[in-house]
Amino acid sequence: MKGKVALVTGATRGIGKAIAKLLAEKALRLAITGRDEEALQKVAQEIESLGTEVLAIPGDLSRVEVPEYIVQKTVERFGGLDVLINNAGVALSKPVMETTAE
């Protein structure tokens, strides 16, 4: 996997942060995203200190236009995308078939 490109959503804390750091240790190039821009920049600095190239893209994935934007920025920077870790979560209190983009 060395040199491959991974995108990790929800990378500012918890499981997403741990996954991003693990991938960095395995020498993947990373794009990370999260809603908290300050926390995102801190994680990006931690990952860079491991010697891995990282792109921090702030964004709220509950907004319909953001996922495409994040993928586009990742591909522009790294020339492609090999691994996608969908870690960001949104809690809704209704069946998935009743869920709309709005």
Side-chain angles (χ1 to χ4, degrees):
M1 296 295 292
K2 184 177 181 178
K4 299 285 185 180
V5 177
L7 167 58
V8 181
T9 69
T12 56
R13 60 187 55 83
I15 294 170
K17 180 179 176 180
I19 290 170
K21 291 177 92 173
L22 178 65
L23 293 174
E25 291 170 2
K26 301 295 182 187
L28 278 81
R29 296 178 293 158
L30 294 175
I32 58 173
T33 188
R35 293 177 295 185
D36 182 339
E37 188 168 355
E38 185 176 325
L40 187 66
Q41 293 305 323
K42 184 177 177 184
V43 173
Q45 290 173 350
E46 291 176 30
I47 290 170
E48 285 176 337
S49 75
L50 298 171
T52 298
E53 186 178 1
V54 63
L55 171 64
I57 311 167
D60 181 350
L61 290 169
S62 69
R63 296 181 50 204
V64 73
E65 70 277 3
V66 172
E68 185 175 339
Y69 171 78
I70 290 170
V71 170
Q72 177 186 13
K73 289 296 178 189
T74 302
V75 171
E76 284 175 7
R77 169 72 175 271
F78 297 112
L81 177 59
D82 303 297
V83 178
L84 175 61
I85 306 293
N86 287 312
N87 175 67
V90 176
L92 297 174
S93 298
K94 62 181 172 180
V96 71
M97 296 306 290
E98 295 175 15
T99 304
T100 65
E102 292 76 33

